[in-house]
Amino acid sequence: MPQPRRSQICLQDTPYYHCVSRCVRRSFLCGVDDYSGQSYEHRRGWVEDRLLFLTSVLAIDVCAYAVMSNHVHVVLHVNAEQAQAWSDEEVINRWHRLHKGTLLTQMFARGDTLTLGQLLTLDETIVEYRRRLHDISWLMRDLNEYIAREANKEDDCTGRFWEGRFKSQALLDESAVLACMAYVDLNPIRAKMAKTPETSHHTSIQKRTQAIKQGLNQPYQLMPFVGNPRENMPQGIAFSLKDYCELVDTTGRIIREDKRGYINPTQSPILQRLGLDDEQWLTLSTEFEQHFCYAAGAEIMMNQFKRHTGHQRLRGMGKAKELLQPA
């Protein structure tokens, strides 16, 4: 039975979440339809562009994403503090970039004079808009509805394009976050859609490697890697971008059928800092969705999430104990 979203997302435990949306049509989201021969590959660009636009408006960062033939993976970071720091005017302006708003919000944006009663109603609306601007469900709704409308228009049809609900997994510690990001970035290689991470089109790892080639260090659209944990560190993923790229590349070599090998800890020191060995990492980065359902992390973090969300049990507790114990 589907779980309510409040039992899957708990910002008290973690701001990091892995979300997946799947297409319901035989003709797929993207790629080439074997039946008709028509290519829908351009739709992958629609998804990527819309996702990055939405995160430029919302207080939600993209850590990793991969647009596949019939589904989309994205690892998100919810920045609730950023949303709370926005002024009322900025909240309304940001919301109006996505939606029409109400008559009162339009009057406020134009600078019209409002009565006391109207201001009280406006305050309630702003509270709701502020909440939505860091709500994962609203991000996925604005992404999926936009793509569905564009696809229906192109196909000259009506009806559902996506499954009714997106899947979400809470990533409860840094090991789960890094493992899930690598799992997402390597999806095209596992599906034999690409041979290397940098040639995996419409993925975050390609965008990161392109930025490096262009001398930009890191793409501004994605949550940055900010180096090892330290005092007064900026907002970002607490590891080195170089370490992460090497980790993804090394893992990709293992899961490709034409290259059998092993992860050398000296090449990827990040594994040592995460407290994982080669076998543990390979299991996590290639079978992440198989072992974890609503949350992933060390056993103690899983138990804490279970208490906060009211779950009787969580799938993956055994793997959490086996693979994701704190270093």
Side-chain angles (χ1 to χ4, degrees):
M1 181 179 295
Q3 294 286 329
R5 195 63 64 188
R6 64 178 178 275
S7 70
Q8 300 177 46
I9 296 176
C10 179
L11 298 183
Q12 178 183 357
D13 289 313
T14 180
Y16 291 95
Y17 293 86
H18 170 220
C19 300
V20 185
S21 277
R22 298 186 182 278
C23 182
V24 297
R25 289 193 187 152
R26 178 194 56 77
S27 59
F28 285 40
L29 163 67
C30 311
V32 178
D33 185 344
D34 293 335
Y35 179 77
S36 66
Q38 184 173 351
S39 174
Y40 297 97
E41 190 68 13
H42 57 283
R43 291 179 179 174
R44 298 176 72 192
W46 292 357
V47 177
E48 182 177 32
D49 292 345
R50 181 65 177 179
L51 173 64
L52 296 178
F53 166 70
L54 288 173
T55 56
S56 73
V57 177
L58 305 177
I60 299 177
D61 306 301
V62 174
C63 301
Y65 67 87
V67 185
M68 304 297 288
S69 293
N70 63 351
H71 63 285
V72 177
H73 288 275
V74 59
V75 178
L76 302 171
H77 170 265
V78 180
N79 195 340
E81 292 183 1
Q82 182 185 38
Q84 296 303 324
W86 286 334
S87 67
D88 291 350
E89 182 178 7
E90 184 166 8
V91 167
I92 288 179
N93 288 339
R94 284 177 176 269
W95 187 254
H96 283 177
R97 293 178 64 186
L98 302 176
H99 301 279
K100 186 177 180 180
T102 67
L103 178 61
L104 288 181
T105 62
Q106 293 171 16
M107 292 173 63
F108 178 83
R110 292 195 302 265
D112 295 349
T113 302
L114 302 179
T115 66
L116 178 59
Q118 289 174 326
L119 287 172
L120 291 175
T121 302
L122 178 67
D123 287 342
E124 295 176 357
T125 302
I126 291 174
V127 169
E128 177 62 19
Y129 285 177
R130 193 185 301 276
R131 182 192 67 79
R132 293 178 183 179
L133 286 170
H134 66 279
D135 188 320
I136 288 176
S137 292
W138 273 92
L139 182 148
M140 298 302 292
R141 171 180 173 174
D142 282 333
L143 172 65
N144 290 347
E145 285 188 358
Y146 175 86
I147 299 302
R149 285 195 300 268
E150 293 299 309
N152 283 348
K153 187 189 305 180
E154 183 177 61
D155 294 340
D156 192 24
C157 68
T158 59
R160 294 177 59 170
F161 188 79
W162 302 94
E163 289 180 351
R165 290 166 57 88
F166 67 91
K167 175 183 176 182
S168 67
Q169 294 175 301
L171 307 176
L172 302 176
D173 55 33
E174 58 190 23
S175 298
V177 172
L178 267 291
C180 189
M181 288 179 61
Y183 171 79
V184 168
D185 276 328
L186 287 169
N187 249 251
I189 291 177
R190 293 173 60 245
K192 298 182 179 180
M193 295 171 62
K195 294 184 177 180
T196 61
E198 64 270 21
T199 60
S200 299
H201 298 306
H202 308 293
T203 62
S204 52
I205 190 64
Q206 185 186 56
K207 189 165 287 293
R208 292 189 190 278
T209 55
Q210 286 176 342
I212 293 173
K213 291 178 181 179
Q214 296 168 4
L216 301 177
N217 189 22
Q218 302 202 47
Y220 70 89
Q221 303 101 323
L222 302 179
M223 192 173 190
F225 286 86
V226 294
N228 296 332
R230 59 192 184 278
E231 292 185 9
N232 301 319
M233 66 183 300
Q235 182 77 39
I237 303 167
F239 289 97
S240 158
L241 173 60
K242 178 177 180 293
D243 277 351
Y244 177 73
C245 289
E246 289 181 351
L247 190 66
V248 171
D249 183 70
T250 304
T251 308
R253 293 175 188 275
I254 296 176
I255 62 178
R256 284 173 54 187
E257 291 183 352
D258 60 333
K259 289 192 176 181
R260 300 294 182 182
Y262 62 93
I263 298 176
N264 185 335
T266 61
Q267 286 184 303
S268 301
I270 193 172
L271 290 184
Q272 298 173 355
R273 298 201 299 276
L274 292 175
L276 300 173
D277 62 28
D278 300 351
E279 293 299 324
Q280 289 174 320
W281 174 256
L282 185 58
T283 299
L284 282 172
S285 59
T286 60
E287 304 171 8
F288 196 89
E289 286 188 276
Q290 296 177 32
H291 299 303
F292 300 101
C293 185
Y294 297 120
E299 184 182 19
I300 186 173
M301 303 297 292
M302 293 272 281
N303 280 320
Q304 181 174 289
F305 180 83
K306 184 171 68 171
R307 289 195 303 272
H308 290 161
T309 56
H311 283 279
Q312 294 297 315
R313 60 186 298 274
L314 282 177
R315 195 182 84 195
M317 292 294 290
K319 281 295 179 181
K321 186 174 183 179
E322 176 186 345
L323 300 176
L324 287 168
Q325 290 306 306

